[in-house]
Amino acid sequence: MHNVPDEPVEPEGLPADEADFLFSGLKSFSRLALAVSGGADSLGLLVLFSEWRERVSWQGDAEVLCVDHGLRPESAAEAEFVAGAAAEHGLSCRILRWTGEKPASNIQDEARRARYRLFADHMAQSGAEALVLAHHMDDQAETFLDRLTRGSGLSGLSAMAADEPHGPQGLRLLRPFLNLRKERLEASLRERGLSWCLDPSNQDPKYKRSRLRKITSLLAEEGLTPERIARTADHLRRAREALEATVRDLAARHVAEHAAGPLRMSREAYAGIAEDLRLRLLNHVVGRVTGVHPRIRFQKLQALDAALIREPSCRHTLAGALIEVDAGRIHIWREAGRAPPETLVITTEAGIWDNRYGYSLSRGPLPQETDAGLLIGPLCNAPVPAKQIRWPEGWPKEAFACSPAVWSRDGVLVASCVPVEQLSVSNDDSIQLDLERLPIQAKLTATFVDDGDTDGGI
């Protein structure tokens, strides 16, 4: 057959019009950060982005970020390679180093978490609006298979999003290459005569990702190609988003929220919700009262749900939250425990406390005579006797232990979300301090962890 080539067809690189389409969503940003490690994927991102920027005259600022994990002898040289490639393409580069003692196990996951922490810290200072990543279709397929082996449910199996507003460390993540195969990024570099760094751990069978890469080629022979896996993950993502919208609606209809932090809902209303949605709603309210992305073992979540349905009265803790059933109502609040929220000295005119509240001084500077001496912390540590507090009716007093309070260094309470008999203001009458409950940042279907200490769940 003359139409069948004797040799395998080499993949084509990315033409300009296709690259322009993939990067078109970046036009609305004014400052971006690009995560580049030096491998073919991320180096392709650097090169293709820089060409797109020149071609369409994008007026924003972009900076390349490269993390030197210090786990291999050649990592420093690879980071310098990235810095050189960035300079050649007209981009600035900042090398971020993971210092300190490294974990002895689970090294790849710990390195990933460290990487996002470093990115977030730097971007908070640089003002970058989003982090652009080179994740592609093959990554999507590997992630799906990895989660499948862990027994993940809908949330874990759904696809990575091209635009993820609340990624790790609260970062906004942009992934323009999710519908692109890895081989086309490599072909784009070869067409330009460029080489890239090779990480030997990508071929090391002791790492699960390496083993999965070998499995994907076998699955493709049976018809389960990366394209079909990515399509399935995308179907699951749409289903997950529909569930998230439903959970938001359930929370709006059934969960009452006190300005000082605790939540409550009718036990009867909770019992009338389908089990899958109840579990997701529980995850939602735990994240809401604690201000963190909960990682809850699925078995623990199911056990708590069963207790809330069946036990006449109960009291449980879960992922930093305390849940109590009393007189037909379920109350949820942040547990003080052995480590209540920290007390901070207010040194700027605006900030965030405990991932739950924003504070701002809406008039005047901080008083010089108090040496920036306003503090914000939990009510349980505030300098006010409990007998002076007018506790809100219908709520357990304990539910307000971690409510925000502001006081001066001389022990005068300035503000609290819980009414007190006497609220004193700072001795500088120009000061007005406002507290605002932050909108929820955690995904409503954040990770559930199964019994195998993995990312399984609903």
Side-chain angles (χ1 to χ4, degrees):
M1 296 179 62
H2 297 291
N3 60 337
V4 178
D6 294 331
E7 300 292 336
V9 177
E10 287 293 326
E12 295 182 353
L14 209 63
D17 59 345
E18 191 173 350
D20 291 349
F21 174 76
L22 295 178
F23 287 124
S24 60
L26 306 184
K27 289 182 178 179
S28 61
F29 294 90
S30 58
R31 188 167 185 82
L32 293 169
L34 277 64
V36 180
S37 65
D41 314 341
S42 60
L43 187 63
L45 172 66
L46 186 158
V47 172
L48 294 169
F49 173 86
S50 65
E51 294 176 354
W52 168 81
R53 182 181 66 157
E54 294 297 324
R55 199 161 48 241
V56 303
S57 300
W58 181 64
Q59 298 301 307
D61 293 323
E63 180 182 30
V64 171
L65 301 182
C66 180
V67 174
D68 177 5
H69 295 92
L71 297 174
R72 295 181 288 109
E74 59 270 27
S75 64
E78 291 171 354
E80 293 299 333
F81 168 80
V82 171
E88 289 176 7
H89 289 83
L91 295 169
S92 62
C93 178
R94 175 64 66 90
I95 297 174
L96 309 174
R97 291 182 169 82
W98 185 22
T99 58
E101 187 176 352
K102 305 299 190 297
S105 61
N106 203 26
I107 188 65
Q108 288 196 328
D109 285 343
E110 291 299 328
R112 176 183 177 275
R113 281 189 276 270
R115 187 159 59 246
Y116 280 113
R117 283 196 302 270
L118 291 167
F119 287 149
D121 290 344
H122 180 79
M123 290 169 62
Q125 299 176 19
S126 69
E129 302 162 86
L131 180 69
V132 188
L133 300 166
H135 290 143
H136 45 70
M137 187 181 293
D138 299 76
D139 291 324
Q140 191 84 282
E142 289 172 14
T143 299
F144 179 90
L145 293 174
D146 179 37
R147 299 287 177 81
L148 190 62
T149 66
R150 299 170 186 262
S152 292
L154 182 62
S155 300
L157 295 176
S158 55
M160 288 186 284
D163 185 347
E164 185 176 351
H166 307 301
Q169 301 292 318
L171 293 172
R172 183 172 184 178
L173 306 181
L174 304 176
R175 302 180 176 99
F177 293 159
L178 281 181
N179 291 321
L180 200 68
R181 292 295 305 271
K182 176 186 179 73
E183 59 189 14
R184 297 196 63 198
L185 293 172
E186 294 178 341
S188 296
L189 295 177
R190 281 195 294 268
E191 289 173 356
R192 291 160 176 78
L194 299 174
S195 59
W196 55 87
C197 301
L198 295 175
D199 184 349
S201 67
N202 289 333
Q203 305 299 323
D204 191 337
K206 76 177 183 180
Y207 295 117
K208 188 177 182 181
R209 285 276 180 173
S210 301
R211 300 193 298 273
L212 287 173
R213 290 187 184 103
K214 295 181 179 180
I215 293 174
T216 53
S217 61
L218 296 174
L219 293 175
E221 294 176 5
E222 300 298 327
L224 190 58
T225 62
E227 289 85 355
R228 288 180 176 174
I229 294 176
R231 194 180 310 147
T232 297
D234 200 46
H235 292 326
L236 295 175
R237 177 187 57 79
R238 290 196 298 273
R240 184 202 71 207
E241 289 174 351
L243 283 173
E244 288 178 348
T246 301
V247 172
R248 283 193 295 268
D249 180 65
L250 289 171
R253 288 191 288 119
H254 297 301
V255 179
E257 179 175 304
H258 193 282
L263 310 178
R264 70 184 178 195
M265 56 183 158
S266 161
R267 189 177 189 180
E268 181 180 3
Y270 176 79
I273 300 171
E275 181 185 3
D276 184 86
L277 292 173
R278 289 200 308 268
L279 298 177
R280 295 175 188 277
L281 183 60
L282 275 181
N283 191 81
H284 168 71
V285 295
V286 168
R288 183 60 172 148
V289 298
T290 60
V292 298
H293 293 255
R295 288 180 57 83
I296 305 173
R297 287 188 180 277
F298 184 61
Q299 188 177 27
K300 288 186 176 181
L301 199 66
Q302 278 191 313
L304 174 60
D305 174 67
L308 297 181
I309 294 294
R310 299 169 188 166
E311 296 181 14
S313 62
C314 59
R315 182 182 174 96
H316 297 271
T317 58
L318 182 69
L322 201 151
I323 301 95
E324 182 178 81
V325 174
D326 181 31
R329 287 189 292 200
I330 302 171
H331 290 92
I332 309 100
W333 63 88
R334 191 196 193 290
E335 182 188 23
R338 298 177 181 176
E342 64 179 331
T343 297
L344 302 176
V345 177
I346 298 178
T347 58
T348 59
E349 294 188 4
I352 294 175
W353 175 75
D354 198 39
N355 290 326
R356 296 184 295 143
Y357 287 87
Y359 61 84
S360 62
L361 294 169
S362 56
R363 289 188 293 150
L366 289 167
Q368 295 296 319
E369 61 271 22
T370 61
D371 188 28
L374 292 179
L375 295 91
I376 182 168
L379 184 64
C380 61
N381 289 345
V384 54
K387 64 182 181 181
Q388 292 186 14
I389 299 175
R390 295 199 311 272
W391 299 103
E393 294 183 6
W395 297 85
K397 293 180 181 179
E398 185 184 353
F400 299 96
C402 294
S403 298
V406 180
W407 61 92
S408 61
R409 284 194 187 277
D410 56 6
V412 177
L413 189 67
V414 174
S416 171
C417 284
V418 180
V420 294
E421 289 185 0
Q422 290 186 349
L423 282 180
S424 301
V425 200
S426 137
N427 53 14
D428 187 330
D429 292 334
S430 69
I431 295 295
Q432 178 178 326
L433 189 137
D434 296 321
L435 289 170
E436 179 184 8
R437 184 74 178 266
L438 296 176
I440 188 166
Q441 298 296 317
K443 292 181 182 178
L444 295 175
T445 52
T447 303
F448 298 87
V449 184
D450 71 11
D451 297 332
D453 195 27
T454 56
D455 292 332
I458 61 177

